[in-house]
Amino acid sequence: MLLSVVFSKPVSNIEEILEKPYKRVKIKVNPSSIGLSYFAEFFTEKQSFHKTFSKDELDSFIKQHAGITFKNCVQLYTDREITVLANKKGKITTLERSRTPDSSATPDAMTSPDRHIKNYIIREGSPVPFLISLGVMTPDGKVIKPRYDKFKQINRFLEYIDDILPSVVEQKKNENTPLYILDFGCGKSYLTFAVHYFLTQIKKIDCKITGLDLKEDVIEHCNKLAKEFKCEGLSFKTGDIAEYSEEKINPDIIITLHACDTATDFALKYAVSKNAKAILSVPCCQHEVKSQLDKNKAELLKKDDSILSPVLKHGLIRERIAALITDSLRAEYLESCGYKVDVMEFIDMSHTPKNILLRAIKKRSSGTTGTDSGAACESTDTDSREISKPKLIDYLKIDPQIWK
């Protein structure tokens, strides 16, 4: 199966052929589509344009432009790599080599002169102003050793952003507005600045990003940095997630990283109410369900069918199972509200114990799930709809905020 294609070194009359002066084209499998399709990014010097290809359309595009419109074309398949090259006289050479099916190499990585260096989205050796100011990089672009975990975390998160972009861009194809991202609980905003840099400097996508946090001094500092780095479209506000309702324009992507306890629930419910196209959430400090389980422990252990007795009677295990139950119910809520949800590992457990990421992508069409009365999902493009609560809530006698 064809995984990705990269076109580079365009001919001088590229604008006559494709209507714009493209410098590079990157095409990859669209992971969020139903059926096999491909997401393409066409890059000019300062902009990027997007298109979705079917398999047949991509095959036709490769046949028409590989070695002809673009002198270099690298096609990566599950079992082989094909490189099409054209010299100055127009002679086309096709090179093919086999690759192991489990190889994680990409066209960019394979052509890298130093293959042992991981192909991060933000690469070491290229100075990035906000990373230098935040103490992650030296002025010459070298990652400071004690901050390498933060550098890897930033790049890992950008990979998640890159994964959801095809779906979000496709959903926005009829909207003539910048990509709008709302970051709840942004804190010092390492990732907020990284997302802005990734979208504007690497992807060449026009975007607006707003960061929200309770700490006034932190927000003041972030706004100062955004102005210093000339981050157009990036701003920060002081506010409480639970009470936030300022946005007049619905955000396309909502990010919530390590928002404490029920703040994550308020952020997720806000995202649903605003019909966000995608949500990335890394929950933190799930105290609510733990306290309810502590209160109900004696009653639950007396049940004749108390199958959870082994995990409820030990405090430490009860704490951990409460966190997992909380995130499971959050995922269930988002699915019931019309999202495709994946529960993923954010970064390795050695870096932080709070490493579960909920990735939710809005489905093209969604309807009511369940028939019993329960919590209501509200969105801007559909009527309020009643969804049934999971039976686990009643069994454990808990009342999680996400389902209220």
Side-chain angles (χ1 to χ4, degrees), residues 99-219:
R99 61 188 294 270
T100 57
D102 62 343
S103 173
S104 59
T106 63
D108 286 340
M110 289 183 175
T111 57
S112 171
D114 194 352
R115 297 183 188 178
H116 73 277
I117 297 178
K118 182 171 174 58
N119 191 28
Y120 289 121
I121 288 178
I122 295 179
R123 303 193 182 200
E124 185 171 8
S126 299
V128 179
F130 82 89
L131 288 179
I132 295 171
S133 178
L134 293 172
V136 177
M137 272 186 175
T138 61
D140 61 354
K142 184 177 180 180
V143 177
I144 297 172
K145 189 173 181 180
R147 307 296 284 164
Y148 210 88
D149 283 349
K150 176 62 69 175
F151 178 71
K152 290 195 292 184
Q153 181 196 52
I154 289 170
N155 277 283
R156 183 65 178 131
F157 188 72
L158 292 182
E159 290 174 8
Y160 287 120
I161 293 289
D162 197 29
D163 285 343
I164 65 174
L165 267 183
S167 177
V168 174
V169 169
E170 190 169 340
Q171 292 181 61
K172 278 184 68 69
K173 62 184 177 183
N174 295 323
E175 302 175 17
N176 188 26
T177 56
L179 180 67
Y180 183 28
I181 298 176
L182 184 57
D183 185 356
F184 281 126
C186 60
K188 293 182 180 179
S189 302
Y190 289 85
L191 297 180
T192 321
F193 279 100
V195 171
H196 183 272
Y197 178 85
F198 172 61
L199 292 175
T200 59
Q201 303 302 310
I202 297 177
K203 290 293 188 180
K204 309 296 183 183
I205 293 176
D206 187 18
C207 68
K208 176 186 175 184
I209 303 178
T210 301
L212 183 78
D213 201 88
L214 286 169
K215 299 178 181 178
E216 294 184 7
D217 57 335
V218 172
I219 291 301

Side-chain angles (χ1 to χ4, degrees), residues 6 12 23 99 124 135 153 157 199 213 215 217 220 236 240 242 281-282 289 316 323 326 339 354 369 382 389:
V6 176
S12 58
K23 300 293 186 182
R99 61 188 294 270
E124 185 171 8
Q153 181 196 52
F157 188 72
L199 292 175
D213 201 88
K215 299 178 181 178
D217 57 335
E220 183 180 352
F236 299 89
D240 187 343
S281 176
V282 179
V289 169
L316 178 60
T326 301
Y339 287 83
K354 307 297 182 182
T369 60
T382 59
K389 292 183 179 180

Side-chain angles (χ1 to χ4, degrees), residues 184-186 213 241 255-268 281-286 330:
F184 281 126
C186 60
D213 201 88
I241 296 174
I255 299 170
T256 165
L257 300 180
H258 297 154
C260 191
D261 201 15
T262 56
T264 293
D265 300 304
F266 288 113
L268 296 179
S281 176
V282 179
C284 179
C285 306
Q286 298 95 328
R330 286 166 173 163

Side-chain angles (χ1 to χ4, degrees), residues 269-314:
K269 294 180 84 168
Y270 182 88
V272 169
S273 73
K274 293 297 183 180
N275 201 33
K277 298 173 178 65
I279 305 165
L280 292 175
S281 176
V282 179
C284 179
C285 306
Q286 298 95 328
H287 299 306
E288 184 192 37
V289 169
K290 166 64 165 55
S291 64
Q292 293 174 3
L293 287 180
D294 287 345
K295 182 180 179 180
N296 300 334
K297 182 186 71 169
E299 184 178 354
L300 291 170
L301 291 177
K302 288 180 182 178
K303 280 188 174 186
D304 293 336
D305 62 343
S306 184
I307 58 176
L308 291 179
S309 175
V311 297
L312 292 179
K313 66 182 181 181
H314 301 289

Side-chain angles (χ1 to χ4, degrees), residues 351-385:
H351 299 148
T352 173
K354 307 297 182 182
N355 72 328
I356 284 181
L357 181 140
L358 304 178
R359 181 180 71 184
I361 299 174
K362 186 74 174 177
K363 295 178 182 176
R364 297 253 180 335
S365 60
S366 57
T368 303
T369 60
T371 56
D372 300 330
S373 177
C377 289
E378 296 181 1
S379 77
T380 56
D381 68 343
T382 59
D383 296 329
S384 296
R385 53 195 175 201

